[in-house]
Amino acid sequence: MSTTNLETAIYLNLHTQNKINVIGGRMIDTYSSSMITARNLRDYVFDISFMSCRGFSLEYGVTDKVESDSSLKHTLIECSKKLVLLIDSNKIGLIFPYRDCKLSQIYAVVTDKKPAKKYSKLFE
């Protein structure tokens, strides 16, 4: 398992038997996000990646308000065979200036509440 988030790495280390790789770079809050992180991420090929988002809409897909975070997610998607999007229901309908990915790039979606009917085909 690999992550850029220190809190996630610590949790997984304490609660699983998996080997945890922390992909380094410049620290922002509790995670690494920088050009160095993206360069390090390119050394991996992931069968499945789990990615959260700040905004999600049918019109623009997955969006972010931080350019460096969006850029890092682009790299993650390039290195992943399948992408699972994790969405908190209050982020559905939000749109931010940087596009992380198109809806067609998402293999599966996990959310905390059943979304509105207009999203039903996407969430089948």
Side-chain angles (χ1 to χ4, degrees):
M1 300 182 113
S2 299
T3 183
T4 61
N5 188 298
L6 288 178
E7 289 178 347
T8 300
I10 291 167
Y11 179 86
L12 291 171
N13 190 53
L14 293 173
H15 299 285
T16 72
Q17 297 298 315
N18 295 313
K19 292 181 182 176
I20 310 302
N21 295 313
V22 180
I23 301 171
R26 179 176 299 128
M27 292 300 302
I28 300 173
D29 295 325
T30 60
Y31 64 97
S32 59
S33 179
S34 68
M35 292 178 68
I36 295 168
T37 310
R39 187 169 49 239
N40 291 334
L41 193 57
R42 285 187 180 93
D43 290 337
Y44 294 85
V45 176
F46 301 104
D47 291 326
I48 299 175
S49 292
F50 296 86
M51 183 179 86
S52 63
C53 71
R54 288 196 172 98
F56 177 86
S57 71
L58 292 175
E59 300 81 12
Y60 298 101
V62 180
T63 58
D64 205 305
K65 63 181 179 180
V66 179
E67 184 178 17
S68 62
D69 289 354
S70 183
S71 179
L72 186 61
K73 289 176 182 179
H74 286 210
T75 304
L76 175 68
I77 293 164
E78 290 171 14
C79 299
S80 302
K81 294 178 185 177
K82 294 180 180 177
L83 176 67
V84 176
L85 186 66
L86 309 173
I87 307 174
D88 186 305
S89 60
N90 66 6
K91 297 177 182 179
I92 296 174
L94 298 179
I95 300 169
F96 292 99
Y98 303 103
R99 187 187 316 226
D100 296 339
C101 70
K102 298 175 184 175
L103 299 179
S104 61
Q105 294 175 285
I106 301 168
Y107 172 74
V109 176
V110 176
T111 187
D112 60 327
K113 292 183 183 174
K114 186 174 180 176
K117 284 189 178 188
K118 70 179 185 176
Y119 297 97
S120 61
K121 283 194 176 199
L122 180 66
F123 290 93
E124 290 179 338

